[in-house]
Every structure is written in structure tokens, then in C-alpha cells.
Amino acid sequence: MTTATKRLTTSAMIASFADPGQRTASAPFGHALAALAERDDRIVGLTADLGKYTDMHVFAQAHPERFFQMGMAEQLLFGAAAGMAEVGLVPFASTYSVFAARRAYDFLCLDIAEPKLNVNIVGGLPGLTTGYGPSHQATEDVAIFRGMPNLTIVDPCDSVDIEQAVPQLAEAEGPTYLRLLRGKVPTVLDEYDYTFRLGKAAVLRGGTDVVFVSSGLMTMRALQAAEELAKHKVDVAVVHTPTIKPFDAETVLAEVDSDRLVVTLENHTVVGGLFETVASAVVSRGLGKRVVPIALPDEFLDAGALPTLHERYGLATDTVVAKVLAELDR
């Protein structure tokens, strides 16, 4: 499908980044949480009037007695989740990422993170996964949350990551934040020798010319770009970092410390996310290595159709390929 066709046929309401014909799984988070609740009586689900739009409705239908609809009140949502965790339950509380990061930060910080409660924050529409504009695009959520002590941050690539992450988040010490991919989520990582491990990065493929360090949906784009770059005789390694905090510096720096071009790819502003996490690790280790970011700009983004916006802001596969080829020609 051409870019022009995509502009005509994709509405701003659609929040799916799956390619036409790509394998997907429906509501992997909701199904994984419902399955976990079958074997763990501590699991409860809460949402702030966004059950359908964070896939929490799947859990609600399977376990209605353990589901709590808190209404459009995010501070109440997380305050209630903290109380549930205090008495031994394991809550998963869902809303849009913008509301969790911008509207409820103080409650998350003092009610949940400071006492190190196992509350699992589930944020829908992270980064540029909606065309609704700045009111719904959580382009700076990782930057906001990285500075919060005790908080684990997970940015999954696909349905495999989400399904495997949910039970590990439930067992994690302290609070977690999951950048949720919802609806029909691509299935990508089952084609690789990969298992999600909380706190660990994974080398998905080797390469002699370029190293991609990626997270979230941009790992899918990194793998696609690596295939396209091979046609230009450019051999690309891909390191997937689904856990942003705590960051697996050992695995990443082992790949970065070479004479290859290093590129980070993230569905987040260039400020305060994966690029700066990698760059600080490189500087702290004294590697003296240049790192090239592929990320969203430090600005409020436009509203519109996702394929158009991903091309405009550099997240599309073809724009990644063009960026890498330009860097190699420097």
C-alpha cells in the first residue's frame, strides 16, 4: 500500500501499528491477565473508565468479582490500587499513559513507589500510537517516570513480550509501569530465539556494520529495517531492550563497544528515554562512542493518521533505513 493510499484510508482514531497482513494477537494483555488470575487469587484489575481501550475488559468478563471500575478518576484509581496492594492483593491498574504520567504522578510516587508496593501501572497509547494529538500522545512518559525511585519500566515490542511479561510483573518487587500495546498487536518475537526476562536485554540478530538498540514497537521496525538494509549490503545487529529501568547495561554495552555504527530506536521523545539511557551508560563506562538517536522530536506532535505521522516523525521503516544509510555515508 502506498503512503498516499494510507493517508486516505487510515483515520486518526485507529491506534494499530500492525502492517497489512501481519500476524497479530487480539488483546494479549487482557488474555494474559485473565489467565494469570486463574492460578493466582491475588490478581485484581482496575481501570479509570477505559476497560475496552486498555484490553482490561477481557479480564473483567472472565473475573467480574475481581474487577473494579473506578470511573474517570485516575488519582483515585491508583490510590485504591495502593490500598489493595497494602493488604496483599496484586493490582493491575489501567488508563491511558498520558493520564498516569501527567495527572496522577504524585499519587503514584508517594502512595505506591515510596512504600515499594507491587502495583502494576498499565498505560495505553504510549508514544505515537494514536493520531489524537498531544492530549492523548504520551511521548514523554518514560522521561517522566525514569526518575521515580523503585519503579520498573517495561516497553514491550509485541504480543509475545506482553504475554510473557504479565506474570513476571505480578511477581516483581515494587511497582511497575507497562507501556501497553492494545487491540490487534503484532506477533514478531516468536520467530527469534527469544524469551522475555524482566530486567534483561536480548540480542535478536547479529551484524557486522550497525548495531540497533531498540525498545517497544521500534524493535519491530528495527528488525524490518535490518532486512531492508541487507539489500544494501549493510549487516545490522538488533538488541531489544524491553526493560528500560532497571537497564541491562552489560548486554547493551557489550554490543555497543565495537567499531560499528550505534543507533537507538524508540517510540518516545528523544529527551529522557532510551537514547539518553544508552548514552549515559556509554559515558559512564568511558567508551567514547557516538550514539545516533531515532526518536520522536522534542515537540508536541500533530494529529492525523498513524502511517502518515510515523513517516513524518521518523518511526517508519523506510525513514529508519534512509537515516542509517545517510549516517553510513557521513
Side-chain angles (χ1 to χ4, degrees):
M1 183 181 290
T2 66
T3 300
T5 304
K6 289 179 183 176
R7 290 194 179 110
L8 290 172
T9 61
T10 308
S11 80
M13 294 180 64
I14 295 175
S16 175
F17 57 91
D19 295 328
Q22 186 173 26
R23 288 185 305 127
T24 61
S26 179
F29 165 72
H31 289 291
L33 188 63
L36 178 62
E38 292 290 341
R39 56 184 187 271
D40 189 339
D41 292 338
R42 301 173 301 159
I43 303 298
V44 293
L46 306 83
T47 192
D49 203 35
L50 288 170
K52 179 180 178 181
Y53 300 103
T54 58
D55 292 345
M56 186 64 78
H57 68 291
V58 176
F59 175 85
Q61 292 166 1
H63 303 281
E65 74 287 357
R66 292 152 69 180
F67 170 72
F68 301 88
Q69 173 59 265
M70 307 305 294
M72 293 169 35
E74 290 79 14
Q75 296 166 344
L76 173 63
L77 169 73
F78 294 117
M84 293 177 179
E86 286 277 13
V87 298
L89 297 173
V90 178
F92 283 75
S94 73
T95 183
Y96 285 158
S97 293
V98 285
F99 301 148
R102 299 174 187 169
R103 187 173 297 168
Y105 181 91
D106 191 46
F107 287 75
L108 294 174
C109 190
L110 298 181
D111 287 356
I112 295 172
E114 184 185 13
K116 210 171 185 179
L117 297 176
N118 184 1
V119 173
N120 300 283
I121 304 151
V122 181
L125 303 185
L128 187 52
T129 53
T130 176
Y132 266 180
S135 65
H136 285 64
Q137 293 163 344
T139 57
E140 80 287 27
D141 55 327
V142 173
I144 291 171
F145 281 138
R146 269 183 67 214
M148 185 182 292
N150 299 330
L151 181 66
T152 295
I153 302 173
V154 173
D155 190 18
C157 164
D158 71 342
S159 64
V160 174
D161 258 349
I162 293 171
E163 290 164 358
Q164 295 182 7
V166 167
Q168 295 182 45
L169 296 177
E171 294 299 326
E173 182 180 0
T176 70
Y177 171 59
L178 176 68
R179 300 186 89 210
L180 177 68
L181 306 174
R182 63 157 299 272
K184 292 183 178 180
V185 178
T187 300
V188 176
L189 296 176
D190 62 338
E191 298 180 6
Y192 300 84
D193 183 18
Y194 172 81
T195 301
F196 175 86
R197 292 191 297 155
L198 188 63
K200 297 297 182 180
V203 180
L204 299 180
R205 57 175 285 164
T208 58
D209 301 315
V210 179
V211 178
F212 283 164
V213 182
S214 57
S215 69
L217 70 87
M218 290 309 292
T219 290
M220 181 185 80
R221 296 281 163 79
L223 292 166
Q224 293 170 336
E227 294 292 333
E228 288 300 311
L229 285 164
K231 300 175 184 177
H232 296 269
K233 301 188 183 306
V234 177
D235 194 18
V236 182
V238 177
V239 185
H240 176 42
T241 59
T243 307
I244 304 298
K245 183 183 177 185
F247 185 66
D248 184 5
E250 292 303 316
T251 298
V252 173
L253 294 183
E255 294 295 315
V256 168
D257 190 12
S258 71
D259 59 0
R260 296 171 292 179
L261 173 69
V262 177
V263 181
T264 59
L265 300 92
E266 62 189 303
N267 173 36
H268 184 270
T269 172
V270 71
V271 176
L274 179 63
F275 165 64
E276 291 192 355
T277 300
V278 173
S280 65
V282 168
V283 172
S284 296
R285 187 64 63 87
L287 297 184
K289 181 75 178 179
R290 179 171 178 260
V291 180
V292 176
I294 291 178
L296 296 170
D298 179 23
E299 62 188 60
F300 293 111
L301 306 184
D302 295 334
L306 275 184
T308 303
L309 295 177
H310 279 205
E311 290 186 2
R312 179 175 301 170
Y313 294 114
L315 301 190
T317 301
D318 56 354
T319 58
V320 172
V321 171
K323 173 74 170 178
V324 172
L325 291 175
E327 289 291 333
L328 291 172
D329 286 339
R330 283 169 57 96

